[in-house]
Amino acid sequence: VQEHTKSTADLKAAAGEAKLTVAPEMTAKQRSDLTALEGAGANFDQLFKTQQIAAHEQALALLRAQAQNGTVAPLKAFAEK
């Protein structure tokens, strides 16, 4: 949790430096995943694990792309960490 809190704060700082705002709303995919978890019952743990792995893989891919090809300096620097 501490690492997520720190990385979120660092991303918000980089976005602010770039004069961008971070949307506080969940995406449609995030809302869909949450709804699925709410109805998962006994399958909750497995579904949560599957969703978290996919979300972290997507985040890592986005960071790698930004680190390689980013054109907004503060965001590129954040991704390179």
Side-chain angles (χ1 to χ4, degrees):
V1 172
Q2 291 175 343
E3 285 297 318
H4 280 102
T5 301
K6 181 179 178 346
S7 67
T8 298
D10 291 349
L11 175 57
K12 286 180 180 180
E17 188 178 334
K19 307 286 191 265
L20 301 170
T21 56
V22 178
E25 304 88 25
M26 288 193 295
T27 65
K29 171 75 169 115
Q30 290 167 331
R31 286 191 302 276
S32 173
D33 284 352
L34 180 58
T35 299
L37 283 173
E38 290 170 341
N43 193 40
F44 179 91
D45 289 344
Q46 181 59 43
L47 181 58
F48 181 79
K49 178 180 158 186
T50 299
Q51 288 178 353
Q52 287 301 300
I53 290 170
H56 283 82
E57 287 174 347
Q58 180 184 23
L60 184 56
L62 290 169
L63 285 169
R64 286 180 175 158
Q66 183 62 233
Q68 287 185 319
N69 305 313
T71 59
V72 179
L75 297 179
K76 184 174 175 66
F78 169 80
E80 290 172 341
K81 287 185 184 180

